[in-house]
């Protein structure tokens, strides 16, 4: 089940994150160190290194993001 989730809903590129931000779609932030979801919600703001969700800053390099991938 997890493999399917990562394969079909992972947001790898900043382009995917910006697509979700533009449409106001929720994004799940998963921490591989603690093996749990640490945030879920709309992207408030972002840059090349961080994403802010629910007023919390999350590093793009240290977390996995799940949501709706952009149309290719």
């Amino acid at each position: 089940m997890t493999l399917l989730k990562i394969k079909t809903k992972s947001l790898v590129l900043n382009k995917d994150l910006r697509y979700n931000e533009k449409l106001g779609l929720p994004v799940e932030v998963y921490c591989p160190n603690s093996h749990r979801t640490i945030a879920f919600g709309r992207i408030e703001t972002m840059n090349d290194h961080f994403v802010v969700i629910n007023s919390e800053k999350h590093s793009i390099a240290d977390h996995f993001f799940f949501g709706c991938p952009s149309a290719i």
Side-chain angles (χ1 to χ4, degrees):
M1 184 70 167
T2 303
L3 181 59
L4 179 64
K5 179 179 177 181
I6 291 171
K7 183 178 176 187
T8 61
K9 302 294 182 185
S10 61
L11 304 177
V12 179
L13 305 173
N14 285 354
K15 177 179 87 171
D16 296 326
L17 290 169
R18 292 194 197 289
Y19 177 77
N20 281 260
E21 178 184 28
K22 178 181 172 184
L23 295 180
L25 298 172
V27 173
E28 176 185 354
V29 182
Y30 179 82
C31 179
N33 295 329
S34 64
H35 304 288
R36 65 183 184 95
T37 297
I38 57 172
F40 183 82
R42 292 181 179 173
I43 297 173
E44 296 171 10
T45 186
M46 66 173 287
N47 61 29
D48 291 337
H49 304 287
F50 294 98
V51 174
V52 177
I53 298 175
N54 300 330
S55 301
E56 292 183 15
K57 201 171 173 182
H58 305 284
S59 170
I60 292 175
D62 297 335
H63 298 92
F64 297 134
F65 297 89
F66 299 99
C68 181
S70 66
I72 296 174

